[in-house]
Amino acid sequence: MSGGAHKQHNFVIDDPRKVEVITDRGEIEYRRQRRNILVPRRVRTAENRNAVADIVNRLDRASKPCFLDFQTRFVPRAKFDEIVTPEAIFQVLSSLRGYRDKSVATRAQIAENIYYGDRTTGPCRKLLCVLLQIERGKDLNLLMQQGMSDDCLPLLMGHKRVDGEFRLHCRRHGGAHRRIDEFRPFHREQFALWCRRLTPPFITWDPNSKHKHYVLEQGDPLPMIRDDGGTRGADGVMPDEGGFSEVTRVKMDPGGGLFANHGLHNPDRLYAMKKLKRHPKDDPLKHRMEFDMEVLASIYTNDRADTENALRFGDFRKHLIPLLASFEIRNPDSEESTYYLLFDWADGNLKDFWRANQAMVGDNTKLHWTAKQFSQLIGALECIHNDRDRLRSERTWSNLYGRHGDIKPSNFLFFRHPDGKQLLVIGDLGLGRLHRDISRSQQNPSDIPMTATYRAPEFDIEDGKLSPRSDIYSMACVFLEHITWFLLGVAAVEQFAIARLTKETRWGFESDIFFTVTPNRRMAVVKPQVKEWIALLRTQPGCCEYLHRMLELIETRMLESDPEKRISASELYRELKRLESCFRLSRSFYTKHYSEGT
């Protein structure tokens, strides 16, 4: 996209205070990391007459298909380092015209310079390998004399020359390299292809650093392959609700990045790559704005989590799925870009958790874990809402208020650690929106996508306005289903859905929502079937004092039809922490039926 087209909009990805835009594929960071472990040494000068063929063939075999498509390939960085050693470069030089007649000591010194770089230029080992792949190794010396090095790669397909052929553009030098311009069109095309294969991005993430946004060109690979798990849809780790995105399970190459440990990473290096789909009617600017909103929501929420952690000694960030990196792949022939978001791949969503943990059903010794998850999830939701009065200030960032907008079981992810511990996390802020203080409760529900079953009454009543408390109603529905699972098992969750099925007169079909709207659409009330189900749960032998109080909180405070009277996230968090603290005071709080007293 051209710079002028979007500078008039305040994009967070253009804000250097919040986002670091990476245009060098992370090469500077990779070299910095590599310098910490790389110890320069003298080159061993063994000969190998087949050195050129060996490197060419080994790099060819090492290339892997990127998940983007099978024609886009990359050579893993770790594999490249294994193949292209100082010794391998020395052996190649011994076979190339212009080098083989030099003394062994001279060739060894040149090999060191190509591998490590010298005081005037950077390394040239990738440049050498690209030339070897197109059988132009003899041009290495001339290109180095013209100032080329690995810092110039990849060369980009630039404007057409007078003869109609494309030139290869060097961003570092701001133009084309004369010798490359003299290559035949086929060689230029192959040169560009191997440039991209040997320069996959090096992706890093640190929760204490700015968000990193990687800008690539069409045809550039990402250092990830599609995992056999494939793409997951509506019940997947990152749902594709409404067709706005497509999520692929990918496996990161071991040398393709460096991520700080935050307790969620999959031990098999599996990640969720979310591609934002562009509606045919959307122009590039609107598509970029949608992408920017996704990035903004993640940055804002995690910043709020850091503030809340410090104030409340909590660990809310662990219960929010972090955005690890974002990618923009630009099409040089148009103003269009394709956008991707990288997340950790979870072991499943909340429904998967229920199916995988049936041994927990009725086991009240596990309730303390449940209580901690409930309170921490609400603490994380509060970070999205930012609704605590004492945190308000005149700063722009502090005056933002959020709403998740799509609370449902498939948007709660669970992660299983190698030690057996499990964690529930709020995922997919894609439908969430951020607002200024003055407009945080002024959204028209008819303009907002929503999930039918778990929606708040504001979606259906006349003149209803959405607010952060709309999330609280949806959270009550999810909590109620979770308690149903805990007391009665996973099959009972479906039975509960069937029990509350009623015909919606407005829409003319049956619905399993949790409320019903009066004929004049002025107000809503909780369905009698929901109240009856809550009463049924209270009769179960495992309904201890903790669950009894949770059901009361859900029924009277969270399922309140009037959003103005509904409990806020901050107050709900305090209530849940009080309940959690009771576990330390009395064992009977979670072992005896509530009717027996504590």
Side-chain angles (χ1 to χ4, degrees), residues 96-107:
L96 291 181
R97 189 176 65 192
Y99 293 101
R100 58 189 173 214
D101 295 332
K102 297 183 183 296
S103 68
V104 170
T106 301
R107 275 181 278 140

Side-chain angles (χ1 to χ4, degrees), residues 73-109:
R73 303 180 71 88
F74 69 96
V75 174
R77 286 178 179 267
K79 199 67 179 176
F80 181 85
D81 291 341
E82 175 189 316
I83 295 170
V84 187
T85 63
E87 286 71 29
I89 295 174
F90 172 83
Q91 292 167 357
V92 166
L93 294 179
S94 300
S95 304
L96 291 181
R97 189 176 65 192
Y99 293 101
R100 58 189 173 214
D101 295 332
K102 297 183 183 296
S103 68
V104 170
T106 301
R107 275 181 278 140
Q109 184 59 57

Side-chain angles (χ1 to χ4, degrees), residues 479-594:
F479 279 2
L480 190 51
E481 287 193 341
H482 188 86
I483 294 174
T484 295
W485 162 78
F486 183 83
L487 288 173
L488 298 172
V490 68
V493 178
E494 182 63 26
Q495 293 169 7
F496 179 30
I498 295 172
R500 62 178 187 269
L501 272 176
T502 56
K503 187 171 183 178
E504 297 298 309
T505 54
R506 182 185 179 192
W507 307 112
F509 55 80
E510 288 188 324
S511 170
D512 62 349
I513 57 175
F514 287 69
F515 61 88
T516 186
V517 178
T518 57
N520 62 6
R521 293 185 55 220
R522 291 291 183 181
M523 62 178 295
V525 294
V526 176
K527 283 182 176 179
Q529 295 90 332
V530 174
K531 290 181 173 290
E532 291 168 5
W533 190 267
I534 292 174
L536 172 67
L537 294 178
R538 286 195 170 103
T539 67
Q540 301 307 306
C543 188
C544 59
E545 183 66 24
Y546 168 72
L547 291 177
H548 170 65
R549 294 192 192 181
M550 273 300 306
L551 291 171
E552 185 176 30
L553 189 58
I554 290 169
E555 183 176 12
T556 62
R557 306 294 305 281
M558 297 176 71
L559 288 177
E560 167 60 56
S561 296
D562 184 350
E564 294 297 322
K565 298 178 181 178
R566 194 177 303 148
I567 192 170
S568 67
S570 57
E571 187 180 356
L572 179 57
Y573 175 77
R574 290 193 293 270
E575 291 291 335
L576 293 179
K577 288 301 289 183
R578 275 197 285 268
L579 289 180
E580 186 186 334
S581 66
C582 292
F583 281 80
R584 296 191 298 270
L585 302 178
S586 172
R587 188 172 183 274
S588 61
F589 184 73
Y590 61 92
T591 56
K592 290 184 178 180
H593 192 271
Y594 77 93

Side-chain angles (χ1 to χ4, degrees), residues 256-530:
L258 184 65
F259 293 162
N261 183 22
H262 62 110
L264 296 183
H265 291 322
N266 187 292
D268 296 324
R269 300 183 67 83
L270 297 176
Y271 296 90
M273 183 64 82
K274 180 177 180 179
K275 176 184 177 181
L276 299 189
K277 294 181 181 179
R278 178 186 165 193
H279 192 278
K281 295 183 180 180
D282 289 348
D283 59 29
L285 178 60
K286 183 176 180 181
H287 189 45
R288 186 177 180 85
M289 291 173 67
E290 288 296 320
F291 161 72
D292 193 75
M293 181 59 72
E294 294 255 5
V295 176
L296 173 61
S298 180
I299 295 175
Y300 158 81
T301 302
N302 281 286
D303 275 7
R304 295 303 315 156
D306 288 340
T307 301
E308 293 291 336
N309 287 347
L311 289 171
R312 297 192 172 193
F313 307 102
D315 201 2
F316 305 132
R317 193 160 186 165
K318 277 189 176 181
H319 296 269
L320 291 162
I321 189 75
L323 175 60
L324 302 175
S326 59
F327 305 91
E328 177 179 353
I329 299 181
R330 293 176 172 172
N331 185 340
D333 297 326
S334 68
E335 291 188 341
E336 298 179 9
S337 292
T338 305
Y339 300 101
Y340 294 87
L341 304 162
L342 185 67
F343 299 91
D344 289 291
W345 183 265
D347 290 283
N349 57 44
L350 188 57
K351 290 184 177 180
D352 297 322
F353 173 86
W354 294 337
R355 288 188 286 265
N357 290 275
Q358 296 189 61
M360 288 180 61
V361 173
D363 184 357
N364 283 29
T365 63
K366 306 296 185 184
L367 275 179
H368 192 201
W369 177 87
T370 300
K372 289 181 68 174
Q373 298 301 301
F374 278 4
S375 64
Q376 291 297 298
L377 286 171
I378 294 300
L381 186 64
E382 184 184 350
C383 297
I384 300 173
H385 291 179
N386 188 18
D387 63 358
R388 290 201 294 126
D389 291 338
R390 67 191 183 91
L391 284 181
R392 297 182 188 178
S393 73
E394 294 303 316
R395 294 177 300 158
T396 302
W397 204 249
S398 295
N399 282 339
L400 282 173
Y401 290 83
R403 181 179 61 82
H404 184 283
D406 200 22
I407 297 290
K408 58 184 178 181
S410 58
N411 269 341
F412 287 89
L413 313 178
F414 88 91
F415 290 83
R416 184 185 291 113
H417 296 265
D419 61 4
K421 293 181 180 178
Q422 300 184 97
L423 190 71
L424 296 181
V425 176
I426 297 177
D428 201 354
L429 297 174
L431 293 180
R433 291 294 180 265
L434 300 175
H435 321 283
R436 300 294 168 200
D437 189 7
I438 193 170
S439 63
R440 59 195 270 249
S441 297
Q442 300 301 313
Q443 283 190 291
N444 187 334
S446 63
D447 298 331
I448 307 298
M450 51 78 184
T451 299
T453 297
Y454 305 93
R455 70 178 183 264
E458 295 89 282
F459 279 99
D460 289 51
I461 62 176
E462 192 170 315
D463 298 325
K465 298 296 181 183
L466 301 184
S467 71
R469 298 192 188 196
S470 302
D471 285 339
I472 298 297
Y473 196 97
S474 300
M475 190 71 85
C477 302
V478 174
F479 279 2
L480 190 51
E481 287 193 341
H482 188 86
I483 294 174
T484 295
W485 162 78
F486 183 83
L487 288 173
L488 298 172
V490 68
V493 178
E494 182 63 26
Q495 293 169 7
F496 179 30
I498 295 172
R500 62 178 187 269
L501 272 176
T502 56
K503 187 171 183 178
E504 297 298 309
T505 54
R506 182 185 179 192
W507 307 112
F509 55 80
E510 288 188 324
S511 170
D512 62 349
I513 57 175
F514 287 69
F515 61 88
T516 186
V517 178
T518 57
N520 62 6
R521 293 185 55 220
R522 291 291 183 181
M523 62 178 295
V525 294
V526 176
K527 283 182 176 179
Q529 295 90 332
V530 174

Side-chain angles (χ1 to χ4, degrees), residues 126-271:
K126 291 184 180 180
L127 175 61
L128 169 62
C129 291
V130 171
L131 292 171
L132 294 179
Q133 289 290 342
I134 64 172
E135 300 180 350
R136 304 284 308 202
K138 63 181 184 297
D139 292 308
L140 175 65
N141 187 45
L142 179 58
L143 288 170
M144 290 175 64
Q145 290 176 4
Q146 292 180 358
M148 274 201 78
S149 70
D150 290 354
D151 295 335
C152 300
L153 305 184
L155 298 186
L156 308 177
M157 298 294 286
H159 300 293
K160 287 184 178 180
R161 304 190 314 187
V162 176
D163 58 9
E165 297 293 344
F166 279 100
R167 309 181 74 183
L168 294 181
H169 179 82
C170 175
R171 278 185 294 197
R172 179 172 172 239
H173 290 95
H177 288 278
R178 187 172 66 254
R179 183 56 177 159
I180 301 293
D181 251 1
E182 295 170 355
F183 285 1
R184 291 170 48 207
F186 174 76
H187 283 156
R188 285 201 303 275
E189 183 180 328
Q190 290 298 302
F191 187 96
L193 175 70
W194 274 98
C195 276
R196 291 194 291 265
R197 285 189 180 182
L198 298 184
T199 56
F202 182 70
I203 305 163
T204 59
W205 177 82
D206 188 315
N208 300 314
S209 299
K210 292 185 286 188
H211 171 75
K212 290 183 173 60
H213 176 63
Y214 294 81
V215 179
L216 307 170
E217 300 292 328
Q218 192 172 46
D220 288 343
L222 288 168
M224 307 164 198
I225 61 174
R226 180 185 291 267
D227 188 72
D228 290 339
T231 301
R232 300 186 70 167
D235 288 326
V237 169
M238 299 289 293
D240 180 10
E241 187 69 40
F244 299 115
S245 62
E246 174 185 295
V247 178
T248 302
R249 187 165 82 173
V250 298
K251 190 165 189 174
M252 176 84 75
D253 178 72
L258 184 65
F259 293 162
N261 183 22
H262 62 110
L264 296 183
H265 291 322
N266 187 292
D268 296 324
R269 300 183 67 83
L270 297 176
Y271 296 90

